[in-house]
Amino acid sequence: MSTTLRPLGRSPLQVSPLCFGGNVFGWTADESTSFSLLDAWLDAGMNFVDTADVYSRWAPGHQGGESEAVIGKWLRKSGKRHQLVLATKVGKEMGEGKVGLHPDYIRQAVDASLKRLQTDYIDLYQTHDDDPNVPIEDVMGTFCELIQQGKVRAVGASNYSAARLAHALETSEKHRLPRYESLQPLFNLYDRAVFEKELQPLCVQNGVGVINFYSLAAGFLTGKYRTAADASKSPRGAKTTSLYLNERGLRILAAMEEVGARTGAELGEIAVAWVMRQPGIASPIASASNMQQMQSLIKASQLQLDDDAMARLNAASAEA
């Protein structure tokens, strides 16, 4: 199946209209399921997969690196590295002293990621968090080094404020260093305000490709969490219901159901399709732990919401 690829920022990377969130690999999707999901993703014409060194350090008995290691084993077994645009991240704590964006730590962390991923280059290397303790010119200078060494093709940022992203872009231009070509913010039908107020205009103006995370609001926008009792449905259910199960969340689900009745689409597909129509969005990130969820993501990438559907969803999800 062929998919129309999109440019990621001003980088040479061309990415599918959806990005597979690799936080599930080695966590809610075991190794063999993960291999099947990755194969199906490429078979559907998709090419973009996002992970991080820290995935899935939060799970009992995990130390981080599990997701990258699963992807690495799949790459070795499948021989499909050339078909994949592979993104990973650095900066969140990976053990004592292994945190942040100090140049020496970035050099150490990229080599550790490359080893786990069983590849000699990372397409998109992202700072997982801002690090105010390290001058941005030192961070971008280190990335320049990694790009020159062929270890990294382009760099991106995650969880940056508009002020800090603007400063980073200005610093790159001033010192003629690589710039952040992508931003990975929290953005979905429920979580709109922070991104839309300052980050979205900044990214659109500067041609930074947005690859937002939590497109499905940690599963809430699939409609599977309707009452407090539904929290037991997944490992992250309690957190999801505490954040989103409220009057506004239920109003959003009701509007999505109206759109679903008219289009025949599932709620999760509608949530992803809504994000894909927003200015500046290059490739929303969404996860799937099984083949049924994967097929729903692929359908979402092909769903075109009309102006009436967009208006209904915008009105229901507007924040007070």
Side-chain angles (χ1 to χ4, degrees), residues 4-311:
T4 303
L5 301 181
R6 305 169 167 201
L8 186 65
R10 297 173 187 161
S11 79
L13 303 177
Q14 295 282 321
V15 299
S16 51
L18 264 187
C19 178
F20 195 103
N23 57 322
V24 297
F25 301 141
W27 177 40
T28 54
D30 63 20
E31 189 174 293
S32 80
T33 302
S34 298
F35 283 18
S36 299
L37 292 169
L38 284 161
D39 286 330
W41 193 240
L42 293 187
D43 289 345
M46 303 293 181
N47 71 346
F48 197 15
V49 172
D50 173 78
T51 186
D53 56 3
V54 76
Y55 297 164
S56 45
R57 189 173 161 80
W58 58 82
H62 288 206
Q63 56 187 12
E66 287 81 11
S67 172
E68 288 185 334
V70 168
I71 294 170
K73 289 177 187 175
W74 172 77
L75 287 174
R76 185 184 62 195
K77 183 183 176 191
S78 69
K80 294 176 179 176
R81 178 66 185 94
H82 65 289
Q83 296 180 40
L84 197 67
V85 175
L86 184 54
T88 192
K89 309 182 202 73
V90 58
K92 286 204 182 288
E93 189 183 347
M94 285 288 284
E96 195 171 341
K98 296 181 176 181
V99 67
L101 301 177
H102 188 277
D104 286 342
Y105 177 59
I106 291 176
R107 294 183 193 107
Q108 175 190 343
V110 76
D111 286 341
S113 285
L114 288 167
K115 187 175 180 183
R116 285 188 293 265
L117 290 164
Q118 301 194 45
T119 183
D120 52 7
Y121 69 98
I122 292 161
D123 295 293
L124 181 67
Y125 199 43
Q126 303 157 96
T127 51
H128 209 151
D129 283 312
D130 187 12
D131 187 345
N133 300 314
V134 181
I136 195 71
E137 52 266 39
D138 291 356
V139 175
M140 304 320 286
T142 309
F143 284 147
C144 183
E145 193 184 293
L146 298 182
I147 289 169
Q148 288 170 346
Q149 291 168 354
K151 292 180 179 180
V152 169
R153 292 181 66 198
V155 291
S158 178
N159 300 309
Y160 269 53
S161 69
R164 288 289 287 171
L165 179 61
H167 173 60
L169 293 170
E170 288 160 13
T171 301
S172 292
E173 188 169 0
K174 179 182 174 185
H175 295 281
R176 297 188 175 182
L177 291 167
R179 65 166 213 153
Y180 285 133
E181 296 294 353
S182 65
L183 175 70
Q184 190 170 145
L186 169 65
F187 180 54
N188 55 56
L189 253 172
Y190 188 102
D191 300 292
R192 293 179 56 179
V194 173
F195 173 70
E196 289 179 351
K197 186 177 179 185
E198 294 181 335
L199 283 166
Q200 189 171 33
L202 179 67
C203 290
V204 170
Q205 183 184 344
N206 289 278
V208 174
V210 177
I211 54 173
N212 59 294
F213 64 88
Y214 272 16
S215 296
L216 298 173
F220 177 75
L221 295 173
T222 64
K224 77 175 178 181
Y225 302 103
R226 306 289 185 140
T227 67
D230 293 333
S232 62
K233 286 185 175 180
S234 81
R236 59 186 180 182
K239 183 182 177 186
T240 302
T241 52
S242 68
L243 285 173
Y244 300 112
L245 192 60
N246 52 42
E247 186 183 344
R248 180 165 164 262
L250 293 171
R251 187 171 71 239
I252 292 169
L253 292 183
M256 292 170 75
E257 283 176 337
E258 287 177 25
V259 173
R262 206 155 49 77
T263 60
E266 293 179 12
L267 268 58
E269 294 159 20
I270 293 164
V272 171
W274 178 87
V275 172
M276 288 172 64
R277 275 201 58 179
Q278 305 306 312
I281 300 291
S283 185
I285 300 169
S287 298
S289 296
N290 58 54
M291 208 54 75
Q292 184 181 355
Q293 293 172 354
M294 159 70 72
Q295 294 307 325
S296 185
L297 285 187
I298 292 163
K299 282 164 70 178
S301 73
Q302 299 156 355
L303 178 61
Q304 299 285 332
L305 294 176
D306 62 22
D307 291 345
D308 179 62
M310 293 297 291

